[in-house]
Amino acid sequence: QTGKFTYDPGFLSTASCNSTITYIDGDKGELLYRGYPIEQLAVNCDYLETCYLLLYGELPNESQKADFEDKVMHHTMVNEQMQFFLRGFRRDAHPMAVMTGLVGALSSFYHDSTDINNPEHREISAIRLIAKMPTLVAMAYKYTIGQPYIYPQNNLSYAGNFMRMMFATPCEDYKPNDVLVRAMDRIFTLHADHEQNASTSTVRLCGSSGTNPFAAIAAGVACLWGPAHGGANEACLNMLTDIQKQGGVARIGEFVSKVKDKNSGVKLMGFGHRVYKNYDPRAKLMRETCHEVLGELGLQNDPLFALAMELEKIALEDEYFVARKLYPNVDFYSGIVQRAIGIPVPLFTAIFALARTVGWIAQLNEMIGDPEYKIGRPRQLFVGATPRDVKPIAQR
Ligand code: SDX
């Protein structure tokens, strides 16, 4: 690892592990994947290059990139049996309920051929998961709208293949717009990893028992679903839509007052972060991507985008938010850009899970690859009843 990072002693006691993958400076609003600033990766690399970097520690050269892309794009199909698993869900099931089930079901195809302690098995599991998540998310979507599944097409780019599986039908193919494909690819990169967040810590703890990687990733999907975590992008879009319905920009003051009223229980979704006490660098890049996509689609005057920017402006000047160091996070703009691309709101978090799979599996493999690792076993402070004797039921 180049350079040395210094931490204050208080922080060291809270750290759950050592890692060489992602570095966040919450006070400065900095995010580095293997030492590379997210701002440079989002502009100069595509998602599969970033996957290679997260998995192997270095950016690929041309032949390594071509070989990695070939491997991923030749593992995009899922076993035909997966279709029958989907049929067990209600048509209106939330896509994250479906994804939690589908990713867990993948373990039934690979469990007996995967020894998590074998580096080659860890590598092929990573390739399979990165390759199959877009296929599963697209199948979950097609199932809910009653359309036939679209099989992956290996000669397309990773993001282009995903969008084709999402939006093509057997009756007419889908010619993805390059600007939208690039935006989708960048959304994947911005969500790829984020050190020891709740879902990554879940994957590490789950995987530390030696369970197969597909089951551990399914645990990460389940954790990410929560509105305080990956579910915030869906919750944020719904929040903006509600404000728009109630009068839009003219009603922002009323909404902000409700957020500041502790009894309301209302939060400004897409704002605040456990680590960032400055602007989340991903939010800035997501806002730029918003501008690009809305401009490409002639939606520069999208009312929700205007509302989001006005809400951000007001919040960043309001003492309540300033005093609590609350800034936009990755989820604040991501819903607007995904909605413009044509992604249905309930699918936003499933796309977050698709993109974060590489981070989860890289973190899991880093832990399992450390010969010193043991099963996780958090302890507690017991603050309950002191020892006492059981009384016969007649005396209770
Ligand atoms: C992600 O960890 C990661 O890295 C996650 C993630 C990743 O890439 O994996 O970055 C992805 O999960 C981003 C976060 C998405 N969640 C949301 O946008 C939901 C809205 N945000 C909040 O729920 C909240 O900000 C959290 C959960 C994200 C962080 O909560 P904390 O740690 O409790 O925030 P805090 O302790 O710093 O809060 C300080 C104060 C508190 O008020 P007081 O009790 O001091 O009066 O700020 C308040 C909080 O109530 N506060 C908010 C707020 N977030 C915090 N008030 C209004 N709106 C908010 N969004």
Side-chain angles (χ1 to χ4, degrees):
Q1 178 174 337
T2 53
K4 280 279 166 264
F5 296 87
T6 51
Y7 294 105
D8 64 64
F11 178 87
L12 288 180
S13 65
T14 65
S16 60
C17 65
N18 292 342
S19 179
T20 62
I21 298 174
T22 293
Y23 174 75
I24 301 173
D25 184 321
D27 295 326
K28 294 181 188 161
E30 285 175 0
L31 169 59
L32 308 177
Y33 290 165
R34 300 284 191 181
Y36 292 100
I38 190 70
E39 294 82 357
Q40 295 184 32
L41 291 170
V43 172
N44 302 311
C45 299
D46 65 23
Y47 176 68
L48 285 187
E49 280 178 276
T50 303
C51 289
Y52 187 98
L53 172 67
L54 291 169
L55 289 173
Y56 302 112
E58 298 296 339
L59 282 169
N61 61 32
E62 290 195 16
S63 68
Q64 290 165 331
K65 180 181 176 184
D67 177 52
F68 184 71
E69 277 177 351
D70 190 62
K71 274 188 198 150
V72 169
M73 295 312 289
H74 284 83
H75 283 85
T76 51
M77 279 205 298
V78 296
N79 189 297
E80 281 291 278
Q81 292 288 98
M82 289 296 277
Q83 298 183 41
F84 305 114
F85 192 86
L86 265 153
R87 285 185 195 163
F89 290 100
R90 287 172 24 175
R91 286 280 182 186
D92 62 352
H94 191 287
M96 284 301 274
V98 177
M99 286 305 295
T100 305
L102 291 182
V103 178
L106 276 183
S107 52
S108 66
F109 295 100
Y110 303 110
H111 164 71
D112 49 10
S113 62
T114 304
D115 168 7
I116 190 72
N117 295 306
N118 178 329
E120 287 170 11
H121 290 192
R122 290 200 295 271
E123 182 174 18
I124 187 57
S125 299
I127 299 274
R128 280 178 168 143
L129 279 157
I130 294 165
K132 297 179 194 307
M133 284 298 274
T135 310
L136 293 177
V137 171
M139 287 175 77
Y141 172 54
K142 289 297 194 187
Y143 179 74
T144 58
I145 60 173
Q147 281 189 5
Y149 305 121
I150 299 297
Y151 282 76
Q153 207 161 324
N154 299 344
N155 61 344
L156 294 176
S157 70
Y158 186 84
N161 177 50
F162 171 65
M163 290 172 75
R164 182 178 169 280
M165 291 190 290
M166 282 283 294
F167 301 119
T169 67
C171 321
E172 60 177 334
D173 214 348
Y174 169 81
K175 291 278 174 285
N177 168 315
D178 289 344
V179 173
L180 302 191
V181 170
R182 181 78 196 115
M184 193 80 254
D185 189 272
R186 184 177 297 174
I187 290 169
F188 293 159
T189 296
L190 294 177
H191 287 88
D193 191 52
H194 212 239
E195 62 129 282
Q196 306 313 315
N197 58 83
S199 53
T200 299
S201 301
T202 300
V203 169
R204 277 181 174 253
L205 190 56
C206 182
S208 72
S209 70
T211 191
N212 72 79
F214 302 90
I217 298 302
V221 174
C223 177
L224 187 74
W225 189 2
H229 191 10
N233 51 21
E234 177 182 357
C236 180
L237 206 286
N238 292 335
M239 170 192 77
L240 292 170
T241 306
D242 288 348
I243 297 172
Q244 187 61 21
K245 275 185 199 149
Q246 292 162 31
V249 172
R251 304 296 292 272
I252 287 183
E254 215 175 294
F255 174 75
V256 170
S257 304
K258 214 184 284 180
V259 170
K260 289 157 49 174
D261 169 9
K262 299 298 280 182
N263 301 322
S264 73
V266 174
K267 289 224 184 239
L268 177 47
M269 300 312 280
F271 253 69
H273 199 276
R274 182 58 56 82
V275 176
Y276 288 121
K277 300 308 172 189
N278 199 326
Y279 212 106
D280 181 337
R282 301 168 298 175
K284 278 181 197 153
L285 291 159
M286 201 64 85
R287 190 180 56 204
E288 285 164 21
T289 307
C290 249
H291 271 301
E292 282 168 30
V293 167
L294 295 174
E296 173 71 15
L297 297 172
L299 298 171
Q300 295 87 331
N301 302 320
D302 177 282
L304 286 194
F305 187 47
L307 178 63
M309 288 200 291
E310 184 61 22
L311 188 49
E312 172 188 342
K313 182 171 167 294
I314 291 172
L316 294 183
E317 291 163 2
D318 186 296
E319 185 46 30
Y320 176 92
F321 296 90
V322 173
R324 292 167 175 79
K325 296 183 179 178
L326 302 178
Y327 293 86
N329 60 49
V330 67
D331 294 306
F332 191 63
Y333 288 104
S334 72
I336 299 170
V337 61
Q338 290 185 70
R339 173 178 153 272
I341 290 174
I343 306 286
V345 177
L347 219 70
F348 290 174
T349 311
I351 285 178
F352 192 154
L354 182 169
R356 183 56 56 87
T357 293
V358 63
W360 287 330
I361 194 76
Q363 298 268 354
L364 175 61
N365 287 353
E366 178 180 66
M367 176 185 73
I368 302 284
D370 174 357
E372 301 297 312
Y373 99 92
K374 289 190 181 126
I375 184 170
R377 181 58 175 88
R379 293 308 308 272
Q380 62 174 23
L381 285 179
F382 182 74
V383 292
T386 48
R388 51 185 171 162
D389 298 325
V390 175
K391 290 197 181 80
I393 192 162
Q395 295 175 29
R396 287 182 221 154

